[in-house]
């Protein structure tokens, strides 16, 4: 039997959210707080500290010399401005391998990426009610954003891609910025790298990209169009990804064996 009361309340919430989103087109850039809620974020070191977890190191290409390949663990604290929102994202940890291929060319192998959802300032509707949705008992108006690996990376040149998962009780589960084509970044260094430690090796740096294009959100259900207007998407300019990061590494012939 269908629960008509519950279905009616949900439909009412969707209609109210759509109306509120439609009226939020003029929302200006907001600044929020980091609110991790993932076991990955809690178990990983924050940016500025060395991570010693090499469990995500990928297998090497056939014929690669383990003594000349290294596994890098990169931890960053990103800050994202995209469309109408500005948010300090939860720390991200990326692992990859790099070294010479058997033919002498530079090679790379992707490992893994871990992050966590972060609350979007203003929530789903860009107002105080959305900002404090949980404390007001309006969890359906909350909104989180989580970066996910977009399938492309080149750590020699600073190019990589991300998708951004958007989550709210009123949005479809597949709601994503960059679902069809991920957001491509070309990071530039803000200054020289600094060696924090030689043993273990820990290198600190800052980077940014202010030239990327932010696409519209997709697969968000009935609120997709209103959500894009609330977030100011798509946005061809005015976007910024910046972060402070550290990375450490081990040569493959020195990696711990399980």
């Amino acid at each position: 039997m269908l629960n008509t009361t519950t279905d009616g309340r949900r439909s009412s919430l969707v209609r109210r959210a759509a109306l509120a989103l439609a009226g939020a087109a003029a929302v200006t850039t907001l600044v929020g707080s980091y609110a991790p809620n993932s076991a990955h974020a809690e178990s990983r070191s924050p940016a500025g500290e060395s991570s010693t977890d090499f469990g995500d190191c990928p297998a090497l290409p056939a014929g690669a010399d383990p003594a000349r390949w290294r596994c890098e663990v990169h931890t960053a604290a990103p800050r994202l401005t995209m469309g109408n929102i500005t948010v300090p994202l939860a720390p991200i940890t990326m692992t990859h391998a790099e070294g010479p291929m058997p033919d002498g060319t530079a090679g790379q192998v992707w490992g893994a990426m871990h992050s966590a959802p972060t609350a979007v300032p203003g929530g789903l509707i860009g107002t105080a009610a959305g900002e404090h949705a949980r404390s007001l008992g309006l969890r359906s108006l909350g909104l989180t954003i989580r970066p996910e690996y977009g399938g492309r990376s080149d750590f020699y040149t600073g190019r990589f891609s991300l998708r951004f998962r958007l989550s709210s009780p009123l949005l479809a589960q597949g709601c994503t910025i960059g679902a069809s084509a991920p957001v491509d970044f070309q990071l530039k260094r803000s200054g020289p790298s600094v060696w924090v430690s030689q043993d273990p090796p820990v290198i600190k740096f800052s980077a940014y990209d202010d030239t990327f294009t932010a696409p519209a959100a997709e697969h968000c259900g009935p609120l997709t169009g209103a959500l894009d207007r609330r977030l100011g998407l798509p946005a061809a300019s005015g976007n910024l990804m910046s972060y402070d990061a550290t990375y450490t590494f081990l040569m493959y012939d020195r990696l711990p064996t399980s």
Side-chain angles (χ1 to χ4, degrees):
M1 177 181 293
L2 294 175
N3 188 331
T4 56
T5 300
T6 300
D7 290 347
R9 288 175 178 172
R10 179 176 178 83
S11 298
S12 177
L13 282 171
V14 170
R15 288 195 297 272
R16 289 166 57 193
L19 290 172
L21 281 164
V27 173
T28 56
T29 299
L30 301 169
V31 179
S33 57
Y34 158 54
N37 57 1
S38 164
H40 283 308
E42 294 170 358
S43 63
R44 304 273 171 167
S45 300
E49 297 180 11
S50 171
S51 171
T52 56
D53 181 0
F54 289 92
D56 287 328
C57 295
L60 293 182
D65 182 357
R68 301 182 65 192
W69 275 71
R70 68 188 195 181
C71 180
E72 291 192 5
V73 180
H74 169 123
T75 305
R79 186 174 183 84
L80 177 69
T81 295
M82 187 163 55
N84 285 338
I85 64 170
T86 295
V87 58
L89 297 172
I92 60 175
T93 300
M94 294 183 285
T95 303
H96 80 286
E98 61 182 50
M101 299 293 288
D103 62 3
T105 58
Q108 297 179 73
V109 182
W110 172 255
M113 174 178 163
H114 300 282
S115 189
T118 300
V120 174
L124 192 60
I125 58 177
T127 67
E131 181 82 25
H132 305 290
R134 185 178 295 272
S135 62
L136 295 174
L138 302 172
R139 296 184 62 182
S140 60
L141 299 182
L143 178 65
T144 64
I145 185 170
R146 177 176 185 162
E148 299 177 347
Y149 181 54
R152 296 192 287 265
S153 62
D154 184 346
F155 289 91
Y156 290 125
T157 64
R159 301 179 71 93
F160 72 100
S161 62
L162 295 173
R163 293 183 172 89
F164 295 90
R165 180 81 60 170
L166 298 172
S167 297
S168 172
L170 297 182
L171 299 177
Q173 289 188 357
C175 186
T176 304
I177 298 171
S180 298
V183 183
D184 290 318
F185 296 92
Q186 173 63 73
L187 291 177
K188 300 175 281 289
R189 295 293 183 97
S190 303
S193 298
V194 177
W195 280 76
V196 178
S197 169
Q198 295 286 336
D199 187 16
V202 179
I203 301 95
K204 179 180 179 181
F205 69 94
S206 296
Y208 72 97
D209 181 8
D210 58 359
T211 62
F212 68 92
T213 297
E218 301 174 76
H219 312 311
C220 302
L223 296 180
T224 299
L227 179 65
D228 278 333
R229 290 190 292 274
R230 180 270 188 265
L231 299 178
L233 299 176
S237 61
N239 307 304
L240 173 65
M241 167 76 88
S242 62
Y243 62 76
D244 297 320
T246 62
Y247 68 92
T248 185
F249 63 87
L250 275 179
M251 305 308 292
Y252 264 77
D253 61 349
R254 296 184 58 193
L255 285 176
T257 56
S258 57

